[in-house]
Amino acid sequence: MSRQPDHPVAPLFVDRWSPRSFTGEPVPDAVLRSAFEAARWAPSASNAQPWRFLVARHGDAHWEILVGLLAPRNALWASRASALIVILSDLHVERRGERVANVSHSFDAGAAWTNFAHQALLLGWHTHGIGGFDREAARAQLEVPEDFAIETIVALGRVGGLDTLHADFHAGEIPSGRRPLAETVFAGKLGLAAFEDERNAA
């Protein structure tokens, strides 16, 4: 795998990608604890730390429930992961002794998930976020209170070969690229170039 950034960044950021091929081998407690510790130190508004994580390991008492929540095509590959992790976020935050709406709950949970993914990668494990699952069934079967949002499910595992992956996914089992900065970073308003060389080229 070789992805080249346009500007200097630590290798961690381009080495992280979302494979679907996993070995299914057991994930050690030490790996999970370290990844969740990284998530714990993510920034959040008012230090509310709205994220919560529900973990199932391959073959444990919770595994079939989480796999069963996935859309059928996602279950084809995610059932080979070592762990599935449901990310929740608290819809409220306590301010001056009162629980009020937390408008950044999803944003902050996303920061924690990013920390988790990068720390897992540093330990030799990959992650893949999954949006295709039954949220209503997840809330009921996992007994998630209404004051928590169900954000996503994450598959974690060691990368396997194509022989461990359903043939439908072989062609897409490569790291994806990214849009250039000129298409994502703007000066004050969408469409206005943020950097001098881009303005001169326009």
Side-chain angles (χ1 to χ4, degrees):
M1 178 187 71
S2 178
R3 292 196 286 186
Q4 296 301 318
D6 293 336
H7 306 280
V9 296
L12 173 71
F13 298 104
V14 289
D15 289 348
R16 191 221 60 80
W17 65 293
S18 302
R20 291 183 173 87
S21 178
F22 293 113
T23 65
E25 66 190 79
V27 55
D29 277 359
V31 169
L32 288 175
R33 288 179 185 274
S34 180
F36 285 125
E37 181 68 13
R40 187 167 79 97
W41 289 98
S44 61
S46 301
N47 195 29
Q49 305 167 57
W51 48 80
R52 304 290 188 277
F53 304 98
L54 309 178
V55 185
R57 302 170 193 245
H58 196 123
D60 73 10
H62 311 287
W63 183 255
E64 291 303 326
I65 295 174
L66 263 65
V67 171
L69 296 172
L70 301 175
R73 278 184 59 80
N74 287 331
L76 284 176
W77 60 267
S79 60
R80 290 278 309 178
S82 300
L84 291 172
I85 299 138
V86 182
I87 301 181
L88 312 176
S89 63
D90 192 340
L91 298 173
H92 298 90
V93 59
E94 185 169 321
R95 292 199 177 102
R96 294 181 292 278
E98 181 182 1
R99 274 178 64 79
V100 299
N102 182 358
V103 297
S104 67
H105 64 93
S106 290
F107 182 83
D108 295 344
W113 139 243
T114 298
N115 279 16
F116 179 95
H118 284 131
Q119 182 62 23
L121 179 64
L122 289 173
L123 299 173
W125 296 74
H126 276 74
T127 52
H128 190 130
I130 305 169
F133 64 95
D134 188 331
R135 283 167 171 76
E136 289 187 12
R139 187 172 298 281
Q141 294 182 38
L142 304 177
E143 301 179 7
V144 178
E146 290 294 332
D147 54 352
F148 281 86
I150 302 173
E151 301 288 357
T152 195
I153 296 177
V154 173
L156 177 143
R158 295 266 199 195
V159 176
L162 291 182
D163 59 321
T164 70
L165 184 63
H166 192 282
D168 284 2
F169 303 105
H170 285 191
E173 190 64 357
I174 56 173
S176 56
R178 295 294 186 271
R179 289 191 299 267
L181 291 186
E183 295 180 15
T184 57
V185 183
F186 304 98
K189 296 181 180 179
L190 289 173
L192 298 180
F195 301 107
E196 189 64 37
D197 56 340
E198 294 166 2
R199 291 194 288 270
N200 293 337

